[in-house]
Amino acid sequence: MPSFNVRFIKTVCDDTGHEHRACQAAFKVDAASLSAAAQQAETDFCEQGGVRDWTIFADAMELRTPPAWGG
């Protein structure tokens, strides 16, 4: 089963008005597909944070497959 690295990102402004991307949470998810990984990561984020909607704390979700080991 493939693994996915999932990060929940919030864009915030600093005191000079410049935007920065802040990682709110990161998970490694084993799932059969990209959509299944996204759904599992949403569930994990909400359970860990005790919230019903992850978009309260993050603007975006990034999903990536881990880099292949090239030994």
Side-chain angles (χ1 to χ4, degrees):
M1 184 174 301
S3 292
F4 298 89
N5 292 326
V6 184
R7 294 184 341 143
F8 290 86
I9 304 297
K10 178 79 172 176
T11 302
V12 295
C13 290
D14 64 18
D15 58 346
T16 64
H18 292 92
E19 291 185 345
H20 300 277
R21 294 168 39 94
C23 181
Q24 300 300 307
F27 298 94
K28 181 180 178 189
V29 178
D30 296 325
S33 67
L34 189 64
S35 61
Q39 187 174 24
Q40 183 61 50
E42 288 177 14
T43 300
D44 292 348
F45 184 95
C46 290
E47 285 178 359
Q48 188 177 62
V51 297
R52 289 180 169 227
D53 182 4
W54 66 270
T55 61
I56 294 169
F57 295 100
D59 301 322
M61 179 191 322
E62 292 180 347
L63 291 103
R64 296 185 180 159
T65 55
W69 181 257

